[in-house]
Amino acid sequence: MPLMDWTRAIERWRNLPQEERARLRPGGACARDLGRVLRAHHDAHVARADAEGVVVADAGHHVYMIEREPSIGGHMSQFDKTFPTLDCAACILTPKMVSVGSHPHITLLTWSEVEKVEGYVGNFTVTVRKKARKINEELCTGCGICQEKCPKKVVDEVYEAGLGYRKAVYTPFPQAVPKFPVMDIENCTYFEKGTCKACEKFCPTNAIDFDQQDEILTLQVGNIVLATGYDLFDARRVTNYGYGRLPNVFTSLEIERLSNAAGPTNGNIVLRDGKTAPKSVGVIHCVGSRDRNFNNYCSVICCMQSLKFAHLVHERTGATVYNFYIDMRTPFKDYDEFYQRVLEEGTLFVRGKVAEVSDVPRIPDEQGKLIIQVEDTLAGKQRRIPVDMVILAAGLEPRKDAKETAKKFGISCSANGWFIEKHPKLDPVATMTEGIFIAGCAQGPKDVPASVSQGAAAAARVRRRLRAARRDRAGRQPPRGHLPEWWWSRRGDARFPGGAVLLRQCGHEPRCGRCHPYVRPRRTHDRADVPYVLLRPDHPAGPWPDLAVAPGRGSGRELAAVRHGLGERAREDLAWLL
């Protein structure tokens, strides 16, 4: 690179506005733009982990949050109440979602999936596919007119669990973050027949883009937190319970949506006809859990979730509620008190595993009812209990693509499919791959408080690494794992940062011992008044000429910083580089 080119770059830098210069220099808010050439990467990549993402971002580190659904919030956004306090789930979650969506240090990538992960701690390269929404996010205001005018309605199998409808262009729920809708191209009339375009005609900002394609993004991050959640056990697999065959057998997620004031029935718990309230309800625990035919482990939440349903059904319908349980497990704070409260409300408990749910009556009293056949182990006899509604407390399972995800990130899964931690007691958030952490139900079944606690622990571990990296940049050379790949490329006996270009003012490139700053130069070049300028040719703002170094006296390896107005922080960063 000739001398005149970087001379012009210096002039261009000095002409930048003060705000832009502050954004680009190491002490500014966007130090990462230039810092990746000089220092270990210090971004944290968080997938589906609102709480830990905010914790890391609040500390001033940039976070990329990747969510495969159109909105963040996960399963909790579908719930009505949370046990044992019966707090409104939306009241707890929505402020956190808004905080994530508006945080200056969080880049939110929804409707996106990770395709590839390469590198190591401090220097991960994450390839992300951002799926096409068919909506221009820069133009969209989230007004919702496109959803109002769309004529196509489809059953919402995801958020409403098949009980409600949504449009072909939709946001999952009113409080979704971000507020931009997404287009369902499999059900959109335009993509089926080439006609309609009602959303495009009525959009006031012309944000509809039918030609939008998927976008491939490459992110450079230092740490990764996996919080990919869980899948609900498919209750159809337990054929003797009749789900999918008997109309008034519901899953736990369907009851969550029925009891939710924003759900398809406005919070009314009714039968499949949409208007009849049940007079008797049976809640079956451990569907798909603690069962050698399906999952041998306990799903943790089923007992407390079933107690919550018993309370909500009794409160809103006055129905008689039966709970069929194997063992009642309420071990955490205020859990057993909630159990006692539900007992006092009149809920009837039957200890025993349900054998069958049938609609075949044997006596006149069973006509038109669902009959639950169970062995009451405390009474020591078989019982047949007729009810109007059956609720199946389905267990938790790993995500269906958990093993593929583990391969992408270089971690391991257990035989059941949950991600394996480094140590179940001493290090439950780290994995055997340095720099990759797990949180929430990605590691195993958990309730909300346990998931939040583990997320906070993962965020603390990430922050500890970042603080260590900052101390290293202040003057102590970091360990190998904290340095980018180019630091360790060698030329001769010198460590040379190949991601940047070092030039003398004379214009010579440091390709040989005569000009190389780390190799003993000839005496004619060993002068402290001839600085080297560090340039980054690929940066959109041009090279970074404000940092310059000059060879010191003696061996040539001790270099002195030449200050060009960046202050002590810049000198510290330069000292770390050298």
Side-chain angles (χ1 to χ4, degrees):
M1 187 176 181
L3 178 65
M4 290 302 296
D5 287 351
W6 66 262
T7 304
R8 291 193 189 100
I10 292 175
E11 198 63 35
R12 187 163 68 250
W13 169 267
R14 288 173 177 165
N15 291 333
L16 281 176
Q18 199 67 27
E19 298 82 6
E20 186 69 12
R21 188 182 291 197
R23 190 182 76 85
L24 293 174
R25 63 184 43 157
C30 291
R32 62 188 182 280
D33 293 340
L34 295 172
R36 289 197 179 95
V37 176
L38 294 176
R39 68 194 70 159
H41 308 307
H42 62 277
D43 290 328
H45 159 65
V46 183
R48 303 196 65 179
D50 300 358
E52 57 264 39
V54 173
V55 169
V56 176
D58 283 344
H61 308 292
H62 196 76
V63 175
Y64 295 102
M65 184 172 291
I66 300 173
E67 166 63 54
R68 72 171 65 191
E69 300 297 334
S71 170
I72 59 175
H75 289 288
M76 188 173 173
S77 64
Q78 299 172 282
F79 300 163
D80 178 42
K81 305 290 185 183
T82 60
F83 56 78
T85 56
L86 298 178
D87 290 326
C88 169
C91 299
I92 299 172
L93 182 64
T94 304
K96 287 290 184 184
M97 293 169 57
V98 173
S99 176
V100 168
S102 59
H103 203 292
H105 292 156
I106 295 179
T107 299
L108 189 57
L109 300 173
T110 56
W111 204 233
S112 305
E113 293 194 43
V114 174
E115 292 206 330
K116 185 170 61 173
V117 179
E118 298 173 314
Y120 47 87
V121 56
N123 190 33
F124 289 108
T125 300
V126 182
T127 303
V128 178
R129 177 178 293 274
K130 187 177 181 182
K131 295 179 284 187
R133 288 178 178 266
K134 307 300 180 182
I135 305 290
N136 189 327
E137 297 180 13
E138 295 181 358
L139 299 177
C140 180
T141 62
C143 64
I145 293 178
C146 58
Q147 301 177 64
E148 295 175 8
K149 300 301 182 181
C150 178
K152 186 70 175 289
K153 281 188 176 182
V154 296
V155 176
D156 190 347
E157 297 286 353
V158 180
Y159 188 76
E160 296 292 355
L163 298 178
Y165 293 86
R166 60 165 174 78
K167 298 294 185 72
V169 55
Y170 67 99
T171 51
F173 52 98
Q175 300 81 20
V177 176
K179 58 187 177 182
F180 312 122
V182 64
M183 194 171 295
D184 181 0
I185 59 176
E186 293 182 0
N187 292 293
C188 177
T189 304
Y190 172 75
F191 288 98
E192 287 180 338
K193 302 178 181 179
T195 58
C196 187
K197 289 191 175 182
C199 54
E200 184 182 54
K201 294 173 185 176
F202 289 99
C203 180
T205 59
N206 298 317
I208 306 298
D209 184 1
F210 290 107
D211 297 324
Q212 190 181 69
Q213 300 297 318
D214 292 356
E215 193 177 348
I216 303 297
L217 306 176
T218 302
L219 310 177
Q220 299 291 333
V221 299
N223 298 273
I224 297 173
V225 179
L226 288 171
T228 52
Y230 66 89
D231 282 337
L232 203 63
F233 176 80
D234 184 2
R236 293 181 179 86
R237 294 166 62 188
V238 189
T239 56
N240 47 317
Y241 288 171
Y243 179 70
R245 177 171 52 86
L246 303 176
N248 290 319
V249 178
F250 294 81
T251 64
S252 50
L253 185 57
E254 289 175 333
I255 296 299
E256 292 283 3
R257 297 310 302 154
L258 286 179
S259 61
N260 195 309
T265 60
N266 299 318
N268 297 315
I269 300 177
V270 294
L271 302 180
R272 293 282 181 186
D273 60 7
K275 54 186 179 182
T276 305
K279 295 182 180 180
S280 56
V281 176
V283 185
I284 302 177
H285 295 215
C286 303
V287 178
S289 299
R290 301 187 65 192
D291 190 329
R292 295 181 181 179
N293 297 315
F294 303 105
N295 298 309
N296 205 28
Y297 54 81
C298 172
S299 287
V300 178
I301 67 165
C302 298
C303 289
M304 288 300 297
Q305 184 184 56
S306 300
L307 294 175
K308 179 184 73 172
F309 291 152
H311 169 79
L312 293 177
V313 170
H314 185 79
E315 179 184 60
R316 299 185 186 184
T317 67
T320 302
V321 182
Y322 298 87
N323 266 38
F324 301 91
Y325 68 98
I326 302 174
D327 294 298
M328 189 60 66
R329 297 183 172 182
T330 55
F332 301 117
K333 181 180 179 181
D334 293 334
Y335 282 17
D336 200 65
E337 289 86 340
F338 187 71
Y339 174 35
Q340 300 299 326
R341 174 183 174 180
V342 173
L343 275 171
E344 293 171 0
E345 290 174 350
T347 300
L348 304 174
F349 289 85
V350 179
R351 186 180 186 276
K353 189 172 180 64
V354 172
E356 184 183 20
V357 177
S358 171
D359 61 349
V360 179
R362 293 184 183 176
I363 57 176
D365 289 345
E366 296 178 352
Q367 194 69 37
K369 301 277 189 177
L370 296 173
I371 299 92
I372 300 176
Q373 181 148 348
V374 59
E375 180 187 4
D376 188 336
T377 58
L378 296 181
K381 64 178 182 179
Q382 291 281 339
R383 298 180 64 180
R384 287 172 58 87
I385 300 176
V387 295
D388 296 322
M389 174 190 283
V390 172
I391 301 173
L392 305 180
L396 308 187
E397 289 189 324
R399 296 298 297 252
K400 58 181 179 297
D401 59 348
K403 292 185 178 180
E404 290 75 11
T405 301
K407 288 181 181 178
K408 286 179 187 177
F409 289 89
I411 62 175
S412 302
C413 283
S414 67
N416 292 320
W418 307 105
F419 295 154
I420 296 178
E421 64 279 3
K422 195 169 186 177
H423 192 284
K425 298 290 190 299
L426 303 178
D427 205 349
V429 297
T431 65
M432 294 302 293
T433 301
E434 287 295 320
I436 296 183
F437 303 90
I438 54 178
C441 289
Q443 186 214 6
K446 291 179 184 65
D447 57 8
V448 173
S451 298
V452 172
S453 299
Q454 192 172 17
R461 293 293 298 277
V462 171
R463 287 187 61 188
R464 188 177 74 174
R465 283 186 175 277
L466 301 183
R467 285 197 300 270
R470 280 184 172 178
R471 288 196 301 270
D472 292 331
R473 287 198 299 273
R476 185 175 73 255
Q477 180 168 311
R480 176 181 289 252
H482 290 277
L483 290 172
E485 182 71 30
W486 49 260
W487 181 272
W488 300 106
S489 60
R490 290 173 174 267
R491 292 194 179 184
D493 65 342
R495 291 173 180 172
F496 173 69
V501 178
L502 287 171
L503 296 177
R504 290 177 178 274
Q505 279 191 347
C506 63
H508 292 162
E509 293 189 20
R511 292 178 177 170
C512 65
R514 190 172 78 90
C515 295
H516 201 296
Y518 296 103
V519 178
R520 182 188 298 275
R522 294 184 180 180
R523 184 59 58 184
T524 54
H525 284 265
D526 193 11
R527 296 172 52 198
D529 58 344
V530 180
Y532 292 89
V533 180
L534 179 64
L535 303 171
R536 183 184 176 185
D538 60 335
H539 195 274
W544 192 11
D546 271 317
L547 287 184
V549 297
R553 299 295 179 182
S555 66
R557 291 175 181 269
E558 298 175 359
L559 305 180
V562 178
R563 181 177 176 183
H564 285 281
L566 286 186
E568 292 301 321
R569 174 66 181 275
R571 296 174 70 111
E572 291 177 2
D573 286 324
L574 186 61
W576 174 84
L577 170 67
L578 302 176

